[in-house]
Amino acid sequence: MAEQEGLEYGKADFVLMDSVTLPEFMDNLKLRFEKGRIYTFIGEVVVSVNPYKNLPIYGRDTIEQYKGRELYERPPHLFSIADAAYKAMKRRCKDTCIVISGESGAGKTEASKYIMQYIAAITNPSQRAEVERVKNTLLKSNCVLEAFGNAKTNRNDNSSRFGKYMDINFDFKGDPIGGHINNYLLEKSRVIVRQLGERSFHSFYQLILGAPEQTLRSLHLQKDISTYTYTRSLAQVKSSINDAADFREVSDAMKVIGFKPEEIQTVYKILAAILHLGNLKFVVDGDTPLIENGKIVSVVADLLGSKAELLEKALLFRTVATGRDVIDKQHTEKEAIYGRDAFAKAIYERLFCWIVTRINDVIDVRKQDAALHGKNTVIGVLDIYGFEIFDNNSFEQFCINYCNEKLQQLFIQLVLTQEQEEYQREGIPWKHIDYFNNQIIVDLVEQQHRGIISLLDDACMNVGKVTDPMFLDALNKQLGKHAHYSSRKVCPTDKALEYDRDFRIRHYAGDVVYSVVGFIDKNKDTLFQDFKRLMYNSSNPVLKAMWPEGKLSITEVTKRPLTAATLFKNSMIALVDNLASKEPYYVRCIKPNDKKSPSLFDVERCRHQVEYLGLLENVRVRRAGFAYRQLYERFLQRYKMISKLTWPNHQMSSDRAAVQKILQENHFDQDAAYGKTKVFIRTPRTLFSLEEKRSESLLKVIIFLQKIWRGTLARQRYKKTKAALTILRYYRRYKVKSYIKEVINRFRGVRESRDYGKHIKWPTPPKVLRRFQEDMQNIHNRWRAYQLIKSLPASEIPKVKDKVAAFENLKGQRSDMGLQRCWEGSYLESKQENAQNSVYFVSRANELQRKDKYMKALFSSHVRKVNRFNKVEDRAIFITDRHLYKLDPSKLYKVMSSTPLYNVSGISVTNGKDQLVVFHTKDHKDLIVCLGENGTLTSESRVGELVGVLANHFKSEKRRLQVTVSHPVQCSQHGRSCSITVETKINQSQPHFAKSRSGFTLIVPAN
């Protein structure tokens, strides 16, 4: 029972229909198609309706949904059949096969590609290189074989014109290790002729429209399909095919498979030679045929690696051996044209068979020791032409429809056999099912001495001129009374048949009228020996290898070759025997309409296909009185939740007893039968009721499981959280203890250390102790500072405090702070610096002390200052604990101005080595100076000393001095903002202020 599909999509399995009738079958098929459900089960058979559009149901996500699942667990899909075949092969080491059938345009080729895609996706999880190579080759081979074996027909843009059976070999681990491709009855007549509106094989159009210009020139081809007789169409051909893109894809695929460059080039040459052959024209000079366009002969000969005169001779003459004598017999015009066309068909057929052989050489399983590597198992995929009924049905349609008769016979036989065997195994009485046995039609075609193929072979072997009407006359005499054969001679009133041309066979799929015109020639498949010798003697080794029989001498006697029909019959018998030896899985493809419309469902068209595919008989056989059967274990696994006695596990003697209890409890036991390993349910209603009860019970089970699971998760989270907190607590304690021990070890003996622990690196603290470490570092620094300072004289302590203040304000902003030298404070008192005028300064300082009552002189120095009028003058500054004085050294240090310190709001310096200082005042009359010695730039940096002295004094008065380090320096002169920049200049002897656009520039010596 497929999950995840409601009844609004119809029944996912035709076996579950209420009544097995054709109208109900068609209604269900139509409903599912219209709802976008193109796949439906008939037990283990998938019915596929061509959607004529791309559907998003083949991606990696969909593959994962079907991987390893049972058929009934997921909605119907090609992947479910592919997985079932793969599991049967892997689990039971049993060879399996997937038979894809349906008429032309029903989607068989696409179905086979999706099955291959699925098998490739689920295998080789370990990504072994050799397995990947095999997988890629198998997938790419589809592309190449489609190019050379498929063509556009009136029913299908990508119709397979050959039959393909591919064996995929797997090792004991279930990974593909190789494969083998068998091809059947390539429709080679399509090379030279086809019905209106159809095309020849894709390969010709891909070469003409997709090959590069250089390649086309080398092949003497033009980019125009109408130029060549074999590709020219008498009617407009509508197609959605992109030949140019397909050419590139096929070319890449051939390289991936392993075709050598010279082999690919040979393939192009053969295709080009065939196209040129079609353009050869013959004219008659008296009774002698001649080639009208002789240049083409040279081109074809060059492409085939032969000589022009030898090719021309093979086209115009036939070498005949009479005893020991060899003569050249001249062709008639009709014989020459026949020979040319037969040669073109034969070359293409040999090319196609060589491509298949070349692919097989790459993917064939290497010889392995079964005892060492295990037994190889096989999945076969059969994608073969579907049943065909055209306006003109010839020898090819006869063979194709015979093939479908054989496969239908196998299908019915295997399905019936499987059902009978299952009922016998389970001990369930078998109910006889009426169905159409098409063995009578198979015998009509293949029966020894009496079948159509035998009569056709007899006609081909008779001495003398045997015509197609003579063959038809033989059919009428031998088969005239057969229930499934008729002709105009047998049934004169049937005017749909033409005298001496048509015969009708009543196939399982419907009546088909065949025209015998060409039957004998196509069955003989005559190709003059001259062409075979010509190709064998080609200088191209690839071409030479395609024609091994060309080495025979003209006088050598050989056994009569088997006819085309007999070869095909033998291959079909071998194919059916091969399929019968494997466990079969079926995909039955249906074409919904002839207009390739994704929305049109032609009921009559589909009904005809359902009838001739025998799908209704398949449903009847599958049900045989019981719509559903399942192993007790799996049935119990699915429905055990609807009974308290079986949920979650039963205590009964067997699974069978538990299943019986479930059905009895729900009053379904009268609608069921119990086999040895399986339970059989008679009507679909019972199964639907079980599914409804299961859905109701599942909801309760899910809620209960969610409750239990949520509670379990909550308890687990609580326990984990509690354990984590305990671990965290102990771990933190451990980290704190370890940290403290490490600090103690590192700082042991720090009192005796020369630098009191400055060199000691602190250990990295745990996060919880980061703040603690910062505090400890501060305490250590203060202790270390105390240890250093307590040894200093009391007179040095103020200087140390000044340096500390300078460091705090300028750290990281100005590199040169003068901390290494001795700070004297009042340099104007120093006789070393101010030898001549120090007496005058001292006198002036004493006078100011008496006048302004200051307690302490903080700093004094010569400076160069500039005012708002750009006037530069040498002055001196004298800073006390109360005032900032500007003095004139030239006038015995006369006081030029006095600024109370409480009016000083800040000080600005640069980040360089210059001595620029700007005193900011609250009344915006900033003082701009450059510290120096008697008008020259001092070699000592006194900026740091000035900043430290002032900052320390402000701090002692519990005031804050705003120290700004920047470049340029901003200031205000009587309310006007300006900036001061510093520039260096070579050969500048002393600092100097100059006017600039934004204010002033201090020019200092470069050295």
Side-chain angles (χ1 to χ4, degrees):
M1 186 68 186
E3 285 185 348
Q4 297 184 354
E5 280 197 345
L7 290 177
E8 67 269 19
Y9 299 109
K11 295 180 174 65
D13 194 330
F14 285 114
V15 173
L16 301 179
M17 293 191 303
D18 293 329
S19 59
V20 185
T21 62
L22 187 57
E24 185 171 342
F25 188 101
M26 295 306 302
D27 289 343
N28 191 59
L29 188 68
K30 182 181 180 183
L31 174 62
R32 290 184 63 76
F33 176 77
E34 291 172 346
K35 293 286 188 179
R37 300 302 192 267
I38 63 171
Y39 299 117
T40 313
F41 284 135
I42 302 178
E44 294 181 352
V45 176
V46 167
V47 178
S48 170
V49 183
N50 192 340
Y52 286 119
K53 63 181 179 181
N54 293 322
L55 296 176
I57 57 173
Y58 304 103
R60 186 72 209 184
D61 292 343
T62 307
I63 290 173
E64 290 298 326
Q65 291 173 14
Y66 284 86
K67 183 178 178 181
R69 304 292 288 272
E70 299 297 334
L71 275 175
Y72 61 86
E73 290 185 298
R74 304 296 306 157
H77 201 289
L78 284 174
F79 292 167
S80 57
I81 283 291
D83 195 75
Y86 179 74
K87 286 204 300 282
M89 178 276 301
K90 188 174 180 181
R91 291 176 181 174
R92 303 198 297 270
C93 292
K94 189 169 184 178
D95 292 346
T96 61
C97 64
I98 301 173
V99 180
I100 307 170
S101 58
E103 71 174 58
S104 179
K108 301 185 300 302
T109 300
E110 289 300 310
S112 69
K113 287 195 287 189
Y114 285 130
I115 288 171
M116 292 284 294
Q117 170 192 323
Y118 179 81
I119 292 173
I122 65 173
T123 54
N124 195 28
S126 57
Q127 295 295 305
R128 287 187 293 162
E130 175 62 16
V131 175
E132 282 300 303
R133 182 191 69 81
V134 171
K135 282 166 54 174
N136 288 336
T137 304
L138 290 171
L139 292 174
K140 293 295 183 182
S141 67
N142 281 327
C143 171
V144 176
L145 293 178
E146 282 184 22
F148 291 89
N150 288 25
K152 183 204 177 302
T153 66
N154 289 323
R155 294 187 173 189
N156 183 4
D157 281 357
N158 190 33
S159 176
S160 296
R161 307 319 300 162
F162 73 106
K164 180 182 71 174
Y165 175 74
M166 177 185 287
D167 269 335
I168 309 171
N169 294 76
F170 296 83
D171 61 13
F172 70 98
K173 292 186 290 186
D175 289 334
I177 56 173
H180 189 84
I181 299 171
N182 290 321
N183 61 295
Y184 303 96
L185 191 68
L186 177 72
E187 190 189 16
K188 59 184 178 182
S189 63
R190 182 169 289 271
V191 173
I192 62 170
V193 65
R194 57 215 151 265
Q195 298 191 34
L196 285 176
E198 296 191 349
R199 302 200 320 176
S200 185
F201 295 101
H202 295 323
S203 53
F204 294 111
Y205 304 89
Q206 290 174 5
L207 178 65
I208 295 172
L209 301 175
E213 290 293 341
Q214 182 179 355
T215 302
L216 291 176
R217 281 196 300 272
S218 69
L219 301 173
H220 308 282
L221 293 176
Q222 299 178 28
K223 216 178 191 71
D224 183 5
I225 59 175
S226 64
T227 305
Y228 306 100
T229 303
Y230 287 162
T231 56
R232 189 183 303 137
S233 178
L234 298 178
Q236 186 177 3
V237 178
K238 295 181 179 179
S239 173
S240 60
I241 301 170
N242 186 340
D243 292 299
D246 291 344
F247 175 83
R248 292 188 292 272
E249 185 180 355
V250 172
S251 179
D252 293 341
M254 293 179 77
K255 293 174 185 175
V256 171
I257 291 171
F259 284 84
K260 299 174 183 176
E262 57 269 23
E263 292 176 332
I264 297 175
Q265 192 61 31
T266 297
V267 171
Y268 296 157
K269 286 181 178 180
I270 293 174
L271 293 175
I274 293 172
L275 291 170
H276 288 302
L277 271 175
N279 284 3
L280 275 177
K281 294 180 181 178
F282 299 95
V283 294
V284 179
D285 183 8
D287 292 333
T288 306
L290 300 173
I291 297 175
E292 181 181 307
N293 39 2
K295 290 184 179 179
I296 295 181
V297 177
S298 301
V299 171
V300 175
D302 178 59
L303 293 171
L304 296 179
S306 182
K307 295 180 180 178
E309 58 270 19
L310 294 178
L311 176 59
E312 184 174 358
K313 182 180 177 183
L315 288 166
L316 296 176
F317 296 88
R318 178 184 179 188
T319 305
V320 180
T322 58
R324 293 185 178 181
D325 296 329
V326 177
I327 61 173
D328 291 333
K329 180 186 175 186
Q330 181 111 26
H331 285 320
T332 64
E333 183 183 6
K334 184 177 180 182
E335 287 174 338
I337 293 172
Y338 173 85
R340 177 202 65 187
D341 290 343
F343 185 37
K345 292 189 293 183
I347 295 175
Y348 193 82
E349 183 184 37
R350 297 294 177 104
L351 170 64
F352 183 77
C353 292
W354 175 82
I355 288 173
V356 173
T357 303
R358 187 71 182 80
I359 294 172
N360 284 334
D361 290 341
V362 175
I363 63 176
D364 268 345
V365 180
R366 309 289 184 262
K367 290 185 178 179
Q368 292 184 342
D369 185 356
L372 181 63
H373 298 283
K375 176 181 177 293
N376 287 344
T377 46
V378 170
I379 292 180
V381 180
L382 177 65
D383 171 19
I384 204 160
Y385 16 59
F387 195 86
E388 292 186 345
I389 306 176
F390 294 150
D391 294 334
N392 180 27
N393 300 292
S394 187
F395 178 76
E396 290 83 7
Q397 281 68 48
F398 171 76
C399 292
I400 287 170
N401 294 340
Y402 159 64
C403 165
N404 280 270
E405 291 283 0
K406 290 287 288 183
L407 293 176
Q408 177 68 9
Q409 179 202 20
L410 176 70
F411 173 70
I412 293 294
Q413 178 186 340
L414 290 180
V415 168
L416 278 174
T417 302
Q418 285 177 339
E419 290 295 311
Q420 284 180 316
E421 288 178 353
E422 182 173 29
Y423 277 66
Q424 288 170 1
R425 278 197 311 269
E426 296 296 325
I428 303 295
W430 169 256
K431 179 182 177 182
H432 178 71
I433 302 297
D434 291 326
Y435 66 95
F436 173 66
N437 189 342
N438 65 332
Q439 181 63 46
I440 187 172
I441 303 174
V442 173
D443 291 341
L444 171 66
V445 175
E446 71 176 19
Q447 190 175 15
Q448 200 75 15
H449 305 303
R450 294 177 57 84
I452 295 175
I453 291 178
S454 292
L455 296 174
L456 181 58
D457 286 352
D458 290 343
C460 293
M461 293 177 187
N462 286 338
V463 178
K465 183 69 175 177
V466 180
T467 62
D468 293 320
M470 293 170 65
F471 161 61
L472 180 58
D473 190 52
L475 289 180
N476 293 333
K477 290 177 181 178
Q478 188 71 37
L479 305 172
K481 296 181 181 180
H482 198 288
H484 290 269
Y485 172 87
S486 66
S487 69
R488 186 66 182 272
K489 189 174 182 179
V490 173
C491 185
T493 58
D494 190 350
K495 296 183 179 180
L497 303 175
E498 190 170 318
Y499 276 112
D500 294 333
R501 193 192 73 177
D502 297 340
F503 69 92
R504 178 188 289 118
I505 296 178
R506 289 180 57 197
H507 287 284
Y508 78 95
D511 294 353
V512 181
V513 176
Y514 297 100
S515 169
V516 294
V517 177
F519 259 61
I520 290 179
D521 283 342
K522 290 177 180 178
N523 190 43
K524 284 181 178 179
D525 198 18
T526 304
L527 178 67
F528 300 137
Q529 192 72 21
D530 303 73
F531 290 117
K532 298 178 181 179
R533 285 193 294 273
L534 180 72
M535 290 295 93
Y536 180 74
N537 292 311
S538 169
S539 61
N540 189 317
V542 177
L543 258 170
K544 182 183 179 75
M546 294 182 190
W547 302 83
E549 69 272 37
K551 67 181 179 180
L552 297 175
S553 170
I554 185 63
T555 58
E556 191 171 340
V557 178
T558 58
K559 185 179 179 182
R560 183 190 294 270
L562 294 176
T563 62
T566 299
L567 286 172
F568 184 70
K569 180 186 76 172
N570 293 342
S571 66
M572 284 298 101
I573 293 173
L575 173 64
V576 169
D577 289 342
N578 186 12
L579 295 176
S581 68
K582 295 176 170 62
E583 183 173 319
Y585 294 85
Y586 295 94
V587 179
R588 312 293 260 174
C589 298
I590 291 178
K591 184 177 183 179
N593 59 77
D594 288 324
K595 297 180 180 179
K596 303 173 187 175
S597 168
S599 58
L600 178 62
F601 186 89
D602 188 334
V603 176
E604 287 303 317
R605 188 81 176 76
C606 294
R607 178 184 287 113
H608 176 65
Q609 296 172 77
V610 168
E611 287 174 343
Y612 79 64
L613 286 172
L615 298 184
L616 208 59
E617 286 81 0
N618 189 193
V619 175
R620 291 195 183 104
V621 169
R622 180 66 183 173
R623 285 179 63 153
F626 294 96
Y628 177 80
R629 76 286 309 269
Q630 190 55 269
L631 292 170
Y632 289 122
E633 180 185 359
R634 291 182 182 170
F635 184 92
L636 194 60
Q637 186 66 32
R638 186 167 183 82
Y639 298 111
K640 63 181 180 179
M641 69 286 301
I642 66 178
S643 172
K644 293 181 180 179
L645 297 176
T646 56
W647 176 260
N649 296 301
H650 69 87
Q651 302 296 324
M652 300 178 196
S653 58
S654 65
D655 288 345
R656 173 175 176 167
V659 170
Q660 285 179 315
K661 181 59 68 177
I662 290 174
L663 294 174
Q664 287 171 4
E665 237 183 58
N666 292 277
H667 309 294
F668 297 140
D669 54 318
Q670 298 301 318
D671 201 39
Y674 304 97
K676 295 176 181 177
T677 62
K678 291 183 178 180
V679 60
F680 291 74
I681 294 178
R682 197 176 311 279
T683 62
R685 290 292 174 197
T686 298
L687 192 61
F688 291 137
S689 298
L690 284 171
E691 282 294 318
E692 289 175 2
K693 290 180 178 294
R694 178 179 181 271
S695 297
E696 294 172 2
S697 300
L698 272 181
L699 186 60
K700 298 175 184 177
V701 170
I702 290 170
I703 294 173
F704 175 76
L705 290 177
Q706 285 178 338
K707 180 183 71 173
I708 298 299
W709 182 239
R710 285 171 180 163
T712 301
L713 288 178
R715 284 187 290 274
Q716 288 178 348
R717 281 196 297 269
Y718 170 74
K719 289 180 180 179
K720 286 181 180 179
T721 304
K722 187 177 180 181
L725 290 173
T726 302
I727 293 170
L728 192 60
R729 185 170 64 253
Y730 278 91
Y731 181 71
R732 283 177 175 173
R733 189 178 298 173
Y734 160 76
K735 292 291 286 183
V736 168
K737 288 182 178 180
S738 299
Y739 171 77
I740 292 174
K741 287 180 180 178
E742 182 65 22
V743 171
I744 292 172
N745 288 335
R746 292 191 183 189
F747 283 89
R748 185 173 283 114
V750 72
R751 290 179 181 274
E752 290 74 31
S753 174
R754 185 175 181 181
D755 61 356
Y756 297 107
K758 181 182 179 181
H759 69 283
I760 297 175
K761 184 179 180 181
W762 286 75
T764 302
K767 189 175 180 180
V768 70
L769 291 181
R770 286 177 186 172
R771 181 68 181 274
F772 170 78
Q773 177 166 293
E774 291 174 3
D775 294 339
M776 290 296 294
Q777 286 174 331
N778 289 333
I779 292 172
H780 173 255
N781 289 334
R782 294 174 73 86
W783 173 82
R784 182 172 157 273
Y786 170 74
Q787 295 297 326
L788 292 171
I789 290 173
K790 74 178 184 179
S791 60
L792 295 176
S795 60
E796 293 295 323
I797 297 300
K799 294 181 180 180
V800 171
K801 290 182 177 180
D802 292 342
K803 289 185 177 183
V804 169
F807 182 77
E808 288 177 347
N809 284 278
L810 300 178
K811 178 184 178 183
Q813 299 183 78
R814 185 179 173 96
S815 58
D816 187 9
M817 292 184 278
L819 298 177
Q820 304 301 322
R821 66 178 184 81
C822 180
W823 289 3
E824 296 187 13
S826 183
Y827 291 94
L828 297 181
E829 293 182 13
S830 171
K831 292 184 179 181
Q832 183 178 356
E833 179 175 329
N834 195 16
Q836 298 178 355
N837 298 321
S838 60
V839 176
Y840 303 117
F841 172 74
V842 171
S843 174
R844 183 66 65 186
N846 291 334
E847 179 184 337
L848 291 173
Q849 185 177 24
R850 288 193 298 270
K851 178 183 176 184
D852 294 333
K853 311 295 183 184
Y854 71 81
M855 303 296 294
K856 182 181 179 183
L858 301 179
F859 184 83
S860 65
S861 175
H862 288 106
V863 297
R864 175 158 289 180
K865 70 100 181 178
V866 63
N867 61 15
R868 58 179 171 151
F869 303 111
N870 196 27
K871 187 176 181 181
V872 180
E873 295 176 318
D874 289 330
R875 292 285 187 264
I877 59 170
F878 177 41
I879 303 174
T880 68
D881 56 358
R882 299 190 66 179
H883 289 85
L884 166 60
Y885 300 102
K886 182 172 67 175
L887 311 176
D888 186 353
S890 61
K891 297 180 179 179
L892 301 178
Y893 296 101
K894 178 182 177 182
V895 178
M896 304 302 295
S897 67
S898 173
T899 303
L901 275 190
Y902 61 77
N903 198 32
V904 176
S905 60
I907 187 171
S908 290
V909 299
T910 69
N911 52 7
K913 294 184 178 181
D914 57 87
Q915 300 298 301
L916 176 66
V917 179
V918 177
F919 295 94
H920 301 288
T921 61
K922 295 178 181 179
D923 54 5
H924 303 293
K925 298 178 181 179
D926 296 349
L927 175 62
I928 305 170
V929 300
C930 178
L931 304 182
E933 301 175 5
N934 293 323
T936 63
L937 181 67
T938 177
S939 59
E940 298 175 341
S941 176
R942 295 178 181 172
V943 171
E945 182 177 0
L946 174 58
V947 170
V949 168
L950 273 179
N952 191 38
H953 174 71
F954 272 61
K955 185 178 180 181
S956 65
E957 293 188 347
K958 298 181 180 180
R959 291 164 53 200
R960 184 175 177 277
L961 177 69
Q962 180 66 42
V963 179
T964 303
V965 181
S966 64
H967 186 266
V969 175
Q970 303 297 325
C971 64
S972 177
Q973 293 214 321
H974 291 270
R976 186 173 65 87
S977 296
C978 63
S979 62
I980 308 162
T981 58
V982 179
E983 293 181 2
T984 58
K985 187 176 181 181
I986 299 174
N987 300 325
Q988 179 77 16
S989 60
Q990 58 185 10
H992 181 73
F993 286 100
K995 180 68 177 174
S996 69
R997 179 178 298 179
S998 58
F1000 304 101
T1001 298
L1002 174 62
I1003 302 172
V1004 298
N1007 53 354

